[in-house]
């Protein structure tokens, strides 16, 4: 009988980056708390994880990120005021968004040494089980949430999974890129990966979009990982080390949808437009106003 892969219960959210591309907004405010319409970016990503069945949310934070912890806690004064004012819809929505007591963990990265280092900081909380990893500034906008699609693929193939999407061939140097056994397949086996390769050195144009399912052995590699591109401890380098051990499979899962990098100003603006246009309560008037704005040229 085929071995059933261990269930994914925990998700890690690295939120300790400095957000230098979004200064000055991120000087005192974490970029993960910037709002796309009326929800912080991090809430959109936690929603995606919850929809995929995640039960425990692990945040790797840093200095100035305390507000993220507050966001996922109760706010008694606010709740009482909403109740007194009869704002039951707003109250219900706040309560619905809140993880249950004990479903969140927070740990500190202490210094921003790179994504790989941030993931390693979650090792004790994750323990010896496979886990999901979601980069909070990458919004995956799609009718089928990205992590849910990956969970389905995981039930079939197990091992490690990475969500990917094509980029223009002259832009590979901005991304982590994977090589796969079959470019046509929705779920394909990964043969290699490299962080920010020049177009001539890139094994394909499939870039890592920021959603992963990883086996706990990744922590052993991260522990010993030397700094790579940008002098940061790179997750891609550690994943390549695990791939090269050849005792675990890595699969690429194609993400079908729009990606918005909310760590960049343009991506953030585009995300607000995309999410705003699909809102039942705002979509129509927003579209009309945008149309008017564009027709008068500003
Ligand atoms: P980014 O490279 O997009 O985040 O990392 P950054 O370093 O904050 O951004 P810029 O380039 O300075 O604007 C992807 C994710 O990994 C987290 C970030 O918070 C982001 O969610 N990260 C990155 C960490 O938690 N720690 C790090 O040392 C680096």
């Amino acid at each position: 009988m085929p071995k059933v892969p261990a269930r994914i219960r925990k998700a890690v959210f690295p939120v300790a980056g400095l957000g230098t591309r979004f200064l000055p907004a991120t000087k005192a405010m974490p970029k993960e708390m910037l709002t796309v319409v009326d929800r912080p970016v991090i809430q959109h990503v936690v929603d995606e994880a919850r929809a995929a069945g995640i039960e425990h949310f692990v945040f790797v934070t840093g200095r100035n990120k305390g507000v993220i912890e507050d966001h996922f806690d109760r706010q008694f004064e606010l709740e009482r005021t909403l109740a007194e004012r009869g704002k039951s819809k707003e109250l219900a929505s706040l309560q619905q968004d809140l993880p249950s007591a004990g479903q969140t963990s927070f740990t500190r990265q202490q210094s921003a040494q790179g994504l790989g280092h941030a993931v390693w900081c979650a090792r004790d909380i994750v323990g010896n089980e496979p886990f999901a990893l979601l980069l909070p500034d990458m919004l995956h906008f799609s009718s089928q949430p990205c992590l849910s699609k990956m969970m389905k693929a995981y039930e079939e193939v197990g091992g490690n999974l990475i969500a990917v999407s094509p980029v223009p061939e002259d832009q590979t140097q901005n991304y982590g890129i994977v090589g796969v056994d079959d470019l046509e397949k929705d779920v394909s086996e990964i043969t290699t990966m490299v962080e920010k390769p020049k177009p001539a050195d890139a094994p394909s144009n499939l870039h890592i979009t920021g959603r992963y399912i990883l086996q706990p052995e990744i922590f052993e590699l991260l522990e010993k990982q030397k700094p790579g591109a940008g002098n940061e401890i790179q997750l891609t380098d550690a994943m390549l080390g695990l791939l090269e051990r050849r005792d675990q499979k890595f699969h690429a899962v194609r993400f079908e949808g729009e990606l918005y990098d909310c760590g960049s100003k343009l991506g953030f603006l585009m995300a607000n437009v995309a999410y705003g246009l699909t809102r039942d309560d705002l979509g129509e008037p927003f579209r009309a106003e945008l149309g008017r704005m564009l027709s008068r040229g500003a």
Side-chain angles (χ1 to χ4, degrees), residues 92-238:
S93 145
L94 280 190
Q95 285 166 345
Q96 200 191 331
D97 288 344
L98 203 63
S100 305
Q103 269 195 319
T104 51
S105 295
F106 295 83
T107 186
R108 289 228 174 181
Q109 190 187 5
Q110 298 180 336
S111 63
Q113 296 179 47
L115 173 62
H117 182 259
V119 174
W120 178 72
C121 292
R123 65 199 179 282
D124 282 347
I125 301 173
V126 170
N128 191 26
E129 56 182 280
F131 62 100
L133 168 66
L134 297 94
L135 302 199
D137 43 6
M138 291 304 295
L139 288 188
H140 289 57
F141 186 74
S142 167
S143 52
Q144 183 182 25
C146 184
L147 190 62
S148 301
K149 179 175 179 180
M150 294 175 78
M151 291 287 217
K152 282 211 180 78
Y154 176 76
E155 282 167 21
E156 300 289 316
V157 297
N160 302 273
L161 296 172
I162 301 177
V164 298
S165 174
V167 285
E169 269 155 30
D170 60 351
Q171 288 179 24
T172 56
Q173 68 280 9
N174 300 319
Y175 301 94
I177 300 285
V178 302
V180 294
D181 69 335
D182 186 342
L183 277 170
E184 303 303 314
K185 280 205 258 171
D186 204 33
V187 180
S188 49
E189 205 170 316
I190 294 179
T191 52
T192 188
M193 52 187 111
V194 48
E195 190 59 41
K196 302 188 172 56
K198 292 197 190 97
D201 304 328
S204 80
N205 70 336
L206 292 177
H207 88 289
I208 298 175
T209 65
R211 300 290 182 270
Y212 313 74
I213 289 175
L214 295 170
Q215 297 298 316
E217 287 74 17
I218 194 69
F219 294 122
E220 296 162 22
L221 286 108
L222 286 170
E223 174 124 20
K224 295 185 218 120
Q225 193 60 54
K226 299 266 181 308
N231 204 27
E232 293 195 332
I233 297 178
Q234 295 289 351
L235 176 65
T236 308
D237 296 341

Side-chain angles (χ1 to χ4, degrees), residues 14-21 31-32 109 112-115 118 135-137 263:
V15 293
L18 299 177
T20 56
R21 285 171 294 155
K31 68 175 171 182
E32 297 81 8
Q109 190 187 5
Q113 296 179 47
L115 173 62
L135 302 199
D137 43 6

Side-chain angles (χ1 to χ4, degrees), residues 55-69:
E55 295 162 15
H56 195 99
F57 307 87
V58 182
F59 299 87
V60 181
T61 75
R63 282 179 299 285
N64 292 333
K65 303 275 181 166
V67 66
I68 297 177
E69 196 162 343

